[in-house]
Every structure is written in C-alpha cells, then in structure tokens.
Amino acid sequence: MSLSVALQHGQQTATECETVELPFVDLDPVSTAILQRVRIKARFRIEWLRKLWAEEGSSGSTRFVSHDEVDAILDDRDKPKAEALWIQQNTQFAHQQEELVQLEEIIYSEQSRFAMLCRIFSITAEDADLLQMCYALQLAPTFSRLYAYLQDSPALAYATTELAQRLFGYGYMSLRHAESPLSIWQLIHEHTVAPNELVLLSVDPMVSNWLQGMNTLDQHLVEKSALCEVLPPLDSWPVKDSLEALQRQLNRDIQGRVRVIISGPNGCGRTSFAAILAAKLGMTLLAITTDTITPVHWEQIYRYAQRQAFLDRTALCWKGHSLQDFVWPGQIIPFPVQFVVLSPEQTLAPQPGVVDHRVEMPMLSHRERQALWEQYLPDSIAWPKKAFEQLVNQHQITVGEIAAVAAKRVSTFDEVQACLRVQSHHRMGNLAQHVECPFNWDDLVLPGYVDEMLQDMLFEATERNVFWEDPQTRRLFPQGRGLMGLFSGPPGTGKTMSAQVIAAELGMDLFCIDLASVVSKYVGETSKNLEKILSRAQHMDVVLLFDEADALLGRRTEIKDAHDRFANTDTNFLLQALEDYRGIAILSSNKKSNIDEAFLRRIRYVVEFPQPDNQQRTVLWQRLLGEMAGEEVLAGLKGEVDRLASQIEMSGAQIKFSILGAMFAARRDRQPVAMRHLLRGINRELMKEGRVLSEHDKQRLSGA
C-alpha cells in the first residue's frame, strides 16, 4: 500500500469509526512467524534454565541468591555452548527445530516486509534477531512477563541486548554498537530505565507499523511534511531533459545518489515540477518544510525522513529558507533521489557522495501567462483588449501568483493590479524601501527631448517581455536583456518622480535601494548585499531605483592598497550583476561624469535632467500653487508668480517645497497665501544652498 493510499484510507476510517464497528484484524503471516520463532527460542532457553534450577534444587518460582546459585555461577554451568549442545541433542526439541526452519523461510521470504527491511538497511543476522525480539514484545505485550522470567527479575520485563544474546545463541557476543543499522537508522530505541539496570530496547513505532503493513508517516515528520499532488506540467518546464539526466546518473552507478536542486521564485511551480519527475520515476513525493527545524534537530529529522523514503519508496523534497544554514549529514546514506527547492539567492552546501543536478525554473512565456489568466480568471476575457494585453505583457509573474490573485475572487483589472502590488511588497524584506507612485505623466514638466526619451523607455518596458521571447533575438543578446536607465542631473530636477511615473504607468511597484547604505567596509559584504537584492528582484514584477549610484559606480581608481583593490572588485561585481539582471532598473546620480565609462556603455537609456528653464518654471509655479493653494490664490498672484519664475532659478523640488513653506507660513498668520509667504518659503530653500534673498530682491520681486 502506498503512503498516499494509506493516508487516504486512514482519513476514511477516522470518518466512519463513529458509526461502523471496526473489524478484528489478524496478524500477517510474517509477524505471526516472528512471534512463534521467539516463543520457540524462549522455550529452549526456559527448559535449559529449569534444568539448571533443578540441579540446584530450586523450582525457580522464588529466586534469590542462594548458595547453590552462587556455586552454579562460580562453576559456569550456564555456558552458551553447553546450552546449545543440550538443545541440539534433546530429541524432544526436534519438532520445534524443524518448525524454526519453516518459520525462518516465511520471515525471510522474497515478499516479506521484514526481509525487505533487512535488505534496505543491510541488517545482519544478529541485528535481525535482536529486532525480532523487540518486535515480538510490540506485537504481544504479554511477552514482558516472559522476558522478566527469562531474565530472572520482575524489574526486567522488557527486551535487552543481554537477553537476545542468550535467546538466539550468541553467547557473550555484543549485539549493540554505534555502527549497527539498528542504531544508525533508529529502528530500535534505547531507554535507560534506572541506574545499574539493563538498557531497555523498543522498536520504533513507525517501523513497527510498517512491518505490519501500515504505511504511516513518522511522528517527527507529521507537522513538517505533506504529500505532493501530481499536476500537469507547463509546456516550458524541462521535464524531459531533467528526467533523462536523472536516469543517466542513476543508471551509471548502482550506488548513485542524485540531489536535484530546483531554483526559482516562490510560486513558479518548483515543488510541482519535483512531483512530476518523481512520478515519472514511479515514486510519490514527500515535501518537508525545514523552517521549523532547529540546527540541533536537523540531523535527527533528516535521518527519519530518509528512513521514510526508503521504506515507502517516496522521493523527498526539501524546502525552506533555513536550508542553506544546515550541514548535510555524510554518515547517513540518503535515498537515491532527493529534491531541494531553493530561492534564487539561496546557496546549498555540497553533500558527500551525492551528485547535484541543478534546474532553473523558466519564467512563464507570453502564451502561458495568457492561458493561465484565462483559466484562473475567466472574467478577464471580458475586459477591454488593451487592459488584458497590459496584464499579460507587462507582468512577468508566476503560476502561483496568478492562482493567489484568482483565489481572492477579484474580477476587475484595477483589483488585479492592486493584488499584484500587495504580493510584491513583502518579498524584498529589508533589502529595499517601497516607494509610493502617486504621480502621472501630466505631473512631469520636462524638456521635450527628455520626455520623448522617457516615452521610449516606457514603451520598451511594456513590450520587452514579449520581445525577448524570440529565440533568435535572445541568441544575439545573451547578456544585456534587462532594461536599464541612468537618470542624471542636479537634485530636484525630476529624476525620482520620473521613475515613479514609469512604475505607475507599468502598474508595478517601485523599490528604492540607497547604494550608499549598501556599500560595506567589510570585504565581500557589498557584493553579497547587491547579489541578494538583484537575485530576489530578478523574479519580481518591480522597478528598481538605485539612488546615489555614483557611490559604487564611480570611476575605478588606481590600485594603491588593499582597500582600492576590494573597492574595484565591488564595482566590477555590480557592473557584471547589473548587466546580467533581466528586470527594469533605474540608476540615479547627480553627476554623470562620476560614473565609470565602462558602465555607461552598458546602459540602454542615459537621460540628463537639466534645471528647468523660465517657461518650465512658470508652468511648475502655476500648476503647483494652483493645486496646493487653490486657483483663486493663483489668480491673485499670477503676476508675482511669473516674476518669481523668470528671475529666480530653482529646481522643481525647490519650487514645490517653497510653496509648502508658504502654506504653513500663511496658516501661522491665519491669512491666505500672499507674496510675502512665498518669499519666506523661497528664502528657506535658497538658504540650503548658501543663497539668500536681500531686501532689495524681495521688493523687486513683489513689484514694489
């Protein structure tokens, strides 16, 4: 019975047990044979002990340390060889000897689960006898009194190694050692009962159930694992190639062990892909989540999981953020096929004796995204064609994300957009800051050539996913398929706002990374920080904004010391990492001249944002003042505003904050915004640059 069938059967029984009387179930033939074999071995031992007790003049009913008993011990009358010879020569045991042969044939038959257990874990004959003695007590609890009698102590009503040594004729040979498969695989557990008492041995409950034909899940794995359903694969998934690679490796070496590392973002189908490969190999897949496993318990859980895999012939799929922190045990032989699900930024330590096969999960193609949206969200078919095309073309998301959106019972384009943004917010964690994007294209006041270049960049952003699906195009551009722009210019000229507008137009989230805070004085930390950001964002539907890009993209310096060498190493890493990045990234810098020329050649769009001219300043003053203070205030100050625009050179941000300062100044005076309030706001902004309006300037600007 497979694990999945057993679990389903168990669920049915739990449901029906309230109304249906459970039938009595006989033991299977192998378990029955094991019980009978232990009985016969016990009878041989008991008859021998009774012979010795009779020679001592005792019936054995009330044993204590008597003179005769001490003499028997000193004379070594209870010799293993003597016992074996006596049993062999005693004709009354001939029938039982023949029965033992028949019982052992049943126990070790080809289809016997006990024999299978011995083959799977390379259990020796001595360990098999010890296991049978413990298993018999599990099947028949009354054997505890039998074991106490055999060990001549009511306190020893349990299985011990010492009892097995004499019961099965091993004499003084030690049957318990650390290298035993019984210990390595925890088939038998040891318990200290009391000081100076013999160690109690018991069969693991899961192993006992398995021997009786019940495929139960180990109690240590219940809350950490689940069987995986086999779903139809997507066309782009590399099922055939991965299966062939797996089979080649498994057929190459009889002891071949393969660990399939499946990398990709959450929701891309990594576990489903593993379940498909396992099914192709004739196995179920048990997925184990490791995030609740501590490093102290990792080896124990790993051992129980491997044991479960061997017994039920189920492949394992490990998943969780903590995986990269664990050391994979080398002394425990793993099941031949295992899968590990990783995020793009995760790494995995090698495992001795195991060959790694890595699979990168492909992103959904345009055709797959369209089909999945239509499947999971049928309402989208009735949307305007432009809205549906925007959803399919611009959002490079996973099948899991599409299913998650559909599960929220949304139906409109705006609702879907909102859900997609919420899903991406938490995925960057503390690596970047989410930036709100409340602006639209009409909020930008820029020269015509800048506006045109931004429009070109926006168009490429909307078409790029479909464009790069063409194999010939990808062949010609193995690198540099990301969309990267450099926005340079003085502070306050609209660089960040332009990034916000582009993200808003695309329906994507904007995340800002301050490169000045990412750069670390510690060797290698900067590269590690950047790799983590880019690898996670690679599979997200976001726009990245790197602020103060010249902090790391500055011109490389002449190497004079170790600090220069490592600084250049970080710069080289970022150059390569950004060139390999497939998403949308915008870099912001106040001075383009500070950027390394080698990096500039890799950027698709280099946009220079100049200070606004007279006409643009006039538009900014009128638009911002009218929106913030009201059209009535703007109409009353139109002449003064035109003079401010023509005579004071300010950036768009400075104009906005000047009006903000004027608004609070007017509120303080409990009056409408007037020219004197605007001048106070302007003066505050200019003072940041070391400039100030003189009284003559104020009178001139006021028209006095």
Side-chain angles (χ1 to χ4, degrees):
M1 182 185 297
S2 69
L3 182 59
S4 59
V5 173
L7 289 177
Q8 293 170 4
H9 177 71
Q11 292 171 353
Q12 289 178 339
T13 303
T15 304
E16 298 168 357
C17 65
E18 299 179 0
T19 56
V20 179
E21 183 178 350
L22 294 177
F24 178 80
V25 180
D26 288 326
L27 285 177
D28 62 279
V30 174
S31 297
T32 302
I34 290 174
L35 271 179
Q36 183 61 13
R37 181 172 185 257
V38 173
R39 282 195 188 97
I40 293 175
K41 290 290 186 179
R43 182 172 295 280
F44 289 167
R45 175 69 177 156
I46 288 170
E47 293 297 334
W48 168 255
L49 289 174
R50 287 176 177 174
K51 170 183 175 297
L52 296 181
W53 294 336
E55 292 172 355
E56 297 170 16
S58 168
S59 65
S61 58
T62 55
R63 298 288 295 162
F64 56 92
V65 183
S66 64
H67 296 303
D68 290 335
E69 183 182 0
V70 170
D71 291 340
I73 294 172
L74 292 175
D75 295 341
D76 195 18
R77 297 173 192 168
D78 187 16
K79 291 181 179 180
K81 286 186 178 180
E83 178 183 359
L85 182 61
W86 181 78
I87 293 172
Q88 183 179 0
Q89 294 176 346
N90 199 323
T91 56
Q92 68 175 358
F93 299 139
H95 175 70
Q96 285 92 338
Q97 294 280 20
E98 294 176 0
E99 186 179 358
L100 278 177
V101 174
Q102 296 172 358
L103 292 172
E104 289 172 0
E105 289 178 354
I106 295 173
I107 294 170
Y108 293 101
S109 62
E110 187 69 24
Q111 300 302 320
S112 160
R113 283 210 166 195
F114 190 87
M116 290 170 59
L117 186 77
C118 294
R119 290 195 298 269
I120 290 171
F121 298 112
S122 302
I123 297 174
T124 63
E126 296 86 354
D127 283 341
D129 287 338
L130 182 60
L131 180 59
Q132 286 182 46
M133 184 188 68
C134 297
Y135 181 51
L137 181 57
Q138 191 88 8
L139 296 172
T142 55
F143 272 34
S144 61
R145 295 178 62 81
L146 178 63
Y147 291 177
Y149 182 85
L150 287 165
Q151 298 180 95
D152 194 21
S153 171
L156 299 178
Y158 52 82
T160 66
T161 303
E162 291 74 11
L163 176 59
Q165 288 171 342
R166 295 310 303 266
L167 201 63
F168 294 100
Y170 294 111
Y172 305 113
M173 181 178 126
S174 177
L175 296 183
R176 193 171 75 244
H177 51 90
E179 294 78 17
S180 166
L182 302 182
S183 299
I184 293 175
W185 292 104
Q186 295 289 287
L187 306 179
I188 285 180
H189 297 290
E190 300 181 359
H191 312 272
T192 301
V193 178
N196 301 320
E197 290 284 3
L198 298 180
V199 175
L200 183 154
L201 304 179
S202 64
V203 179
D204 183 271
M206 181 265 177
V207 175
S208 176
N209 288 338
W210 187 86
L211 286 172
Q212 296 176 67
M214 296 179 287
N215 293 55
T216 57
L217 192 62
D218 189 282
Q219 60 181 347
H220 299 88
L221 305 177
V222 169
E223 296 182 356
K224 303 174 179 64
S225 60
L227 282 169
C228 300
E229 182 182 2
V230 181
L231 301 172
L234 296 178
D235 292 340
S236 60
W237 287 3
V239 174
K240 182 180 178 182
D241 292 343
S242 299
L243 182 62
E244 290 176 352
L246 264 175
Q247 291 172 331
R248 282 197 302 271
Q249 183 60 40
L250 293 173
N251 294 334
R252 184 177 303 164
D253 184 357
I254 192 171
Q255 297 295 329
R257 313 281 169 185
V258 184
R259 187 172 62 171
V260 184
I261 301 174
I262 307 175
S263 177
N266 291 337
C268 69
R270 297 166 299 180
T271 306
S272 296
F273 180 75
I276 292 169
L277 289 182
K280 295 285 187 183
L281 294 171
M283 294 179 283
T284 56
L285 183 72
L286 184 68
I288 304 174
T289 302
T290 62
D291 288 335
T292 60
I293 302 174
T294 63
V296 175
H297 298 104
W298 160 242
E299 183 174 326
Q300 181 189 35
I301 297 298
Y302 179 84
R303 184 194 319 272
Y304 289 133
Q306 299 300 334
R307 190 181 69 182
Q308 186 88 47
F310 277 112
L311 291 178
D312 290 322
R313 190 170 170 74
T314 180
L316 300 175
C317 180
W318 301 95
K319 55 200 298 188
H321 295 293
S322 58
L323 271 174
Q324 60 186 8
D325 301 326
F326 295 147
V327 176
W328 292 74
Q331 73 276 18
I332 302 172
I333 299 175
F335 190 69
V337 180
Q338 296 186 83
F339 299 90
V340 183
V341 166
L342 296 182
S343 298
E345 70 272 13
Q346 285 183 288
T347 58
L348 201 62
Q351 185 175 11
V354 176
V355 175
D356 284 340
H357 175 71
R358 193 173 186 89
V359 178
E360 298 286 344
M361 291 298 289
M363 297 302 292
L364 297 176
S365 67
H366 177 270
R367 182 173 57 83
E368 287 174 330
R369 291 196 302 274
Q370 179 176 337
L372 287 169
W373 278 119
E374 292 175 350
Q375 175 187 343
Y376 282 97
L377 201 67
D379 290 344
S380 62
I381 301 175
W383 291 353
K385 183 179 179 181
K386 183 177 180 181
F388 185 72
E389 287 180 350
Q390 181 179 346
L391 178 66
V392 175
N393 293 347
Q394 295 180 16
H395 294 282
Q396 183 70 282
I397 59 178
T398 65
V399 60
E401 290 171 322
I402 293 176
V405 169
K408 297 182 184 298
R409 308 284 182 149
V410 295
S411 58
T412 67
F413 175 74
D414 290 339
E415 290 174 335
V416 172
Q417 290 278 75
C419 286
L420 291 174
R421 286 194 293 271
V422 169
Q423 286 183 171
S424 66
H425 282 187
H426 70 281
R427 290 173 61 182
M428 287 298 287
N430 297 324
L431 299 175
Q433 179 183 0
H434 177 254
V435 180
E436 295 294 334
C437 300
F439 306 112
N440 56 50
W441 210 271
D442 293 335
D443 292 315
L444 294 176
V445 180
L446 300 168
Y449 67 91
V450 175
D451 185 85
E452 183 70 20
M453 190 172 293
L454 294 178
Q455 291 279 8
D456 288 343
M457 186 174 180
L458 175 63
F459 178 80
E460 182 173 331
T462 60
E463 296 290 322
R464 58 188 299 274
N465 288 331
V466 178
F467 179 82
W468 290 116
E469 287 183 7
D470 178 60
Q472 185 64 18
T473 307
R474 290 202 307 271
R475 185 186 71 82
L476 295 173
F477 291 88
Q479 291 178 307
R481 297 207 293 264
L483 178 57
M484 196 182 311
L486 172 65
F487 293 176
S488 66
T493 52
K495 301 186 296 295
T496 301
M497 179 184 280
S498 296
Q500 290 170 290
V501 169
I502 289 175
E505 290 288 322
L506 293 171
M508 297 181 180
D509 280 311
L510 179 67
F511 284 93
C512 182
I513 297 99
D514 185 356
L515 280 177
S517 65
V518 171
V519 175
S520 173
K521 64 180 179 180
Y522 298 106
V523 174
E525 284 299 312
T526 300
S527 300
K528 188 182 297 183
N529 292 338
L530 293 170
E531 182 178 16
K532 189 180 295 184
I533 292 169
L534 293 175
S535 61
R536 187 168 297 183
Q538 177 87 357
H539 301 281
M540 292 174 60
D541 225 15
V542 297
V543 177
L544 293 183
L545 173 63
F546 289 87
D547 199 16
E548 297 188 33
D550 41 357
L552 192 58
L553 300 178
R555 297 177 182 275
R556 283 165 284 194
T557 60
E558 180 183 351
I559 298 178
K560 298 179 181 179
D561 54 27
H563 181 271
D564 292 335
R565 180 180 297 107
F566 289 119
N568 285 348
T569 299
D570 285 331
T571 300
N572 293 336
F573 173 84
L574 184 58
L575 290 175
Q576 186 61 49
L578 285 175
E579 187 173 20
D580 294 338
Y581 181 61
R582 302 293 175 83
I584 302 174
I586 297 173
L587 300 106
S588 175
S589 173
N590 292 338
K591 290 185 178 180
K592 184 179 71 174
S593 58
N594 290 344
I595 304 296
D596 193 292
E597 292 180 0
F599 185 73
L600 285 175
R601 291 194 297 269
R602 292 170 165 87
I603 298 177
R604 296 273 298 117
Y605 293 88
V606 178
V607 186
E608 184 74 32
F609 288 76
Q611 289 281 14
D613 58 20
N614 182 13
Q615 181 181 359
Q616 292 159 1
R617 289 196 299 270
T618 301
V619 173
L620 286 167
W621 273 107
Q622 292 178 354
R623 182 179 296 175
L624 292 170
L625 184 60
E627 189 167 341
M628 295 173 69
E631 293 298 328
E632 185 177 346
V633 172
L634 174 61
L637 294 172
K638 188 176 186 310
E640 289 86 345
V641 166
D642 290 344
R643 280 196 298 275
L644 293 176
S646 63
Q647 298 185 31
I648 302 180
E649 293 186 358
M650 302 181 76
S651 68
Q654 288 175 316
I655 293 172
K656 182 166 67 172
F657 283 106
S658 295
I659 296 174
L660 180 63
M663 296 283 293
F664 279 101
R667 289 175 69 88
R668 181 184 177 191
D669 293 344
R670 301 292 190 270
Q671 295 178 354
V673 175
M675 186 59 178
R676 66 179 182 278
H677 300 129
L678 293 176
L679 292 175
R680 283 165 64 181
I682 292 171
N683 215 25
R684 185 183 303 169
E685 289 301 311
L686 293 179
M687 288 176 67
K688 297 176 183 178
E689 297 181 346
R691 296 190 288 166
V692 68
L693 291 175
S694 64
E695 289 300 322
H696 175 72
D697 292 333
K698 293 178 182 179
Q699 292 177 3
R700 176 172 51 81
L701 292 169
S702 300

